[in-house]
Amino acid sequence: MEQHSELVVLAKLTLWVAMSMAYVRFAACRVKPGVPRLLSLLPVVCLLPFLPFHFSSLHLRGISAFFLAWLALFKLLLLSVDAGPLSAPLPFLPFLASAALPIKLIDPLHHHKRKSPSISPLLPAAAKAALLSAVIPFYRLKDVIHPYLLLSVYCIHMYLALELVLAGAAGAAALLLPRGLAIEPQFDAPYRAASLQDFWGRRWNLMVSAILRPSIYLPVRARFGRAAGILATFLVSGLMHEVMFWYITLAPPTGEATAFFVLHGACLVAEGAARQAGWWRPPAAMATLLTLGFVAATGFWLFYPPILRSRADEVVLAECAAAMGFLEDAGRAVIAWVR
């Protein structure tokens, strides 16, 4: 019954988002960029952050907050100054997909010249889903397994869940796109990252990088230099993660997520300076091990504690179990109907 009510909310919110983006496209086509366009888009900018609170499910509230209260909001702010990635002249369905889902469209000519990202053939979406379903039962052992092993499970869970959510969004978007339009990849084998710059800039959650680069990094770098651009970008990313944690846990921000990203921004600046001076040239395998180890260790220290203190992991387990039960019942019903 609860899943049914959440599906009803999802349908209503989808309709609200579609109507909102239809208005956004209409206004952007008729109002010149700058303050006039920003004022015309302000009703939708104010509406989007409230929509995720209609969900009682932690998963749906967190995912919709990421899609609408972060990515879509930043896209609209960039659209107000005509900075992309949204383009008002796009047909409505591609515009809707690009605005409401975590995707970035690629020009077909550019796409053919672009080097395809490395995708592990061992981890297609179905295998990742199976691996995620195998990881979840480890939560039941959290009282007996080592805390660091449990935190490693959280890391794997977050990566697989993000990959599957973003891949699902890309699949849904592909149904709305005409032939000839392609979608930027959202991950590029982050487990192969050889540096923090490689991890954050080229491999991990590339949609966020594509949004923060034009909105924060490039303007700040143009005025204050590269280091300031990096630090400002990671500061904003940290603040937005605090907001995402608030949607997920409904608890006040603690500042730990911001500290995590500011620390990584400072280390990325130091890494670039060390590489430029010739002090940082480890072998590729060691560089990957050190990079992933640093990301995991700082995540254990700063990123995951707010989620664990709120017991959101227990809600995640309960919702995953309920979702699996729902899918099993639906599968049995389909098999019975086919027979």
Side-chain angles (χ1 to χ4, degrees), residues 4 8 17 36 43 53 114 154 170 224 238 242-243 268 282 297 309 333:
H4 178 266
V8 171
V17 171
F53 287 115
R114 182 185 176 91
Y154 290 137
F224 300 106
E242 297 279 1
V243 174
L268 199 155
R309 282 196 299 270

Side-chain angles (χ1 to χ4, degrees), residues 137-152:
F138 276 92
Y139 289 132
R140 299 190 181 96
L141 305 174
K142 68 177 187 176
D143 293 330
V144 296
I145 64 177
H146 194 279
Y148 287 135
L149 178 58
L150 181 62
L151 288 170
S152 299

Side-chain angles (χ1 to χ4, degrees), residues 5-168:
S5 64
E6 292 290 78
L7 290 175
V8 171
V9 172
L10 178 60
K12 291 180 178 178
L13 260 62
T14 301
L15 182 59
W16 268 104
V17 171
M19 292 189 299
S20 299
M21 295 310 170
Y23 165 76
V24 165
R25 181 172 174 271
F26 174 84
C29 286
R30 287 159 178 79
V31 181
K32 65 179 182 179
V35 174
R37 183 181 289 182
L38 176 61
L39 292 176
S40 71
L41 302 184
L42 208 53
V44 178
V45 169
C46 295
L47 171 67
L48 291 180
F50 289 98
L51 294 180
F53 287 115
H54 287 80
F55 290 111
S56 59
S57 162
L58 180 150
H59 281 89
L60 291 177
R61 192 168 62 246
I63 292 169
S64 61
F66 176 53
F67 287 9
L68 302 177
W70 185 352
L71 296 183
L73 198 63
F74 273 61
K75 290 176 184 178
L76 295 190
L77 294 175
L78 287 169
L79 179 63
S80 69
V81 293
D82 216 17
L86 288 181
S87 175
L90 275 173
F92 174 64
L93 288 180
F95 182 89
L96 173 62
S98 183
L101 295 174
I103 64 167
K104 181 182 178 184
L105 302 181
I106 311 174
D107 177 72
L109 296 177
H110 179 63
H111 175 62
H112 288 304
K113 296 177 182 178
R114 182 185 176 91
K115 180 182 176 182
S116 298
S118 55
I119 300 175
S120 172
L122 300 177
L123 289 175
K128 289 174 184 174
L131 183 56
L132 180 59
S133 66
V135 164
I136 289 172
F138 276 92
Y139 289 132
R140 299 190 181 96
L141 305 174
K142 68 177 187 176
D143 293 330
V144 296
I145 64 177
H146 194 279
Y148 287 135
L149 178 58
L150 181 62
L151 288 170
S152 299
V153 172
Y154 290 137
C155 290
I156 296 170
H157 184 166
M158 184 181 72
Y159 167 59
L160 293 173
L162 265 176
E163 280 254 32
L164 290 171
V165 167
L166 296 178

Side-chain angles (χ1 to χ4, degrees), residues 197-214:
Q197 181 179 357
D198 189 29
F199 182 86
W200 291 115
R202 304 188 189 99
R203 294 185 179 275
W204 180 263
N205 207 347
L206 299 178
M207 187 66 249
V208 169
S209 300
I211 288 295
L212 292 178
R213 188 174 293 112

Side-chain angles (χ1 to χ4, degrees), residues 231-243:
L231 292 174
T233 301
F234 276 82
L235 173 61
V236 171
S237 180
L239 293 173
M240 291 310 300
H241 276 82
E242 297 279 1
V243 174

